Amino acid sequence: ACFCKDTTKEKLKAIQKGEDEKASLNADIAELSSKRDGLDRTIQETLDEISLQEMSMKQASQERAEALTLYQTNTADLQSAIDSLEGALKTLKASKTPSFAQVKTVSNIVRTAVLLADTLGLGGGVDKKVIAFVQQEPSNGNEVPMED
C-alpha cells in the first residue's frame, strides 16, 4: 500500500509540475505574442514613414532640379550680359573719341544689362531713377539725324 501511495504522490506531483510549466509557458506565449504585435505595429509605422520620406525626397529632388535649371538659365543670361558689357567697354576704350553710334550701341547694351539684372533681382541697390532712365526708350522724333 505504501508503494501505491508513493507512486500516486509522485505522479500527482509530476502532473502538478507539468500543469504549472504549461501555465507558465502559456503566459510566456501570451506575453511574447503581445510584444510581437507591438513590434509588428512599429515595423508598419516605420515602413509608412519610410514611404512618406521617399515621396518627400522625390518632390524635393524635382524642386531642386527646377531650381538648378533656373539658376543655370540665369547664369547664362548674366554671363552673356557681362560679356556684352566687357565688349562695349573695350570698344569705348579702343576709340579715343567714340562716335555717337558707338555711344548709342553701348547705351543699348548697358540698358539691356541693367534691365536683366533688375528682372533677376540682382540690382544690388541700383537707384530707381537709374532704372527709370534706362527703361526709357529713345524717342524717334528727338534723335539727332546722322550724316553719312
Side-chain angles (χ1 to χ4, degrees):
C2 248
F3 175 75
C4 286
K5 282 185 180 180
D6 289 340
T7 305
T8 304
K9 203 181 223 186
E10 287 176 20
K11 299 271 183 200
L12 287 175
K13 205 183 227 187
I15 290 172
Q16 185 61 44
K17 183 180 176 186
E19 287 177 355
D20 289 345
E21 283 182 26
K22 181 181 175 185
S24 175
L25 291 173
N26 282 336
D28 289 344
I29 289 172
E31 179 184 337
L32 292 174
S33 179
S34 174
K35 187 175 182 179
R36 179 178 178 204
D37 290 343
L39 292 173
D40 286 343
R41 280 190 299 274
T42 302
I43 289 170
Q44 189 58 48
E45 290 170 0
T46 303
L47 290 174
D48 291 344
E49 181 66 24
I50 289 171
S51 177
L52 184 69
Q53 292 300 325
E54 285 175 344
M55 286 191 303
S56 177
M57 284 176 24
K58 184 177 179 182
Q59 182 180 1
S61 293
Q62 289 173 346
E63 289 173 2
R64 297 306 157 255
E66 291 171 5
L68 176 63
T69 301
L70 178 63
Y71 172 79
Q72 289 171 336
T73 301
N74 289 346
T75 300
D77 289 344
L78 287 175
Q79 188 59 49
S80 174
I82 289 170
D83 292 343
S84 296
L85 286 173
E86 287 174 350
L89 287 174
K90 284 181 185 176
T91 301
L92 285 177
K93 287 180 181 178
S95 64
K96 303 225 185 244
T97 55
S99 70
F100 179 73
Q102 287 175 324
V103 171
K104 186 174 179 182
T105 301
V106 170
S107 173
N108 287 336
I109 291 170
V110 169
R111 177 181 291 118
T112 301
V114 169
L115 290 175
L116 178 64
D118 185 48
T119 301
L120 295 175
L122 303 173
V126 175
D127 189 33
K128 297 285 184 192
K129 291 178 186 176
V130 173
I131 292 174
F133 175 75
V134 171
Q135 286 178 343
Q136 290 179 0
E137 291 292 325
S139 61
N140 292 334
N142 293 334
E143 288 186 33
V144 176
M146 295 191 57
E147 290 184 23
D148 290 326

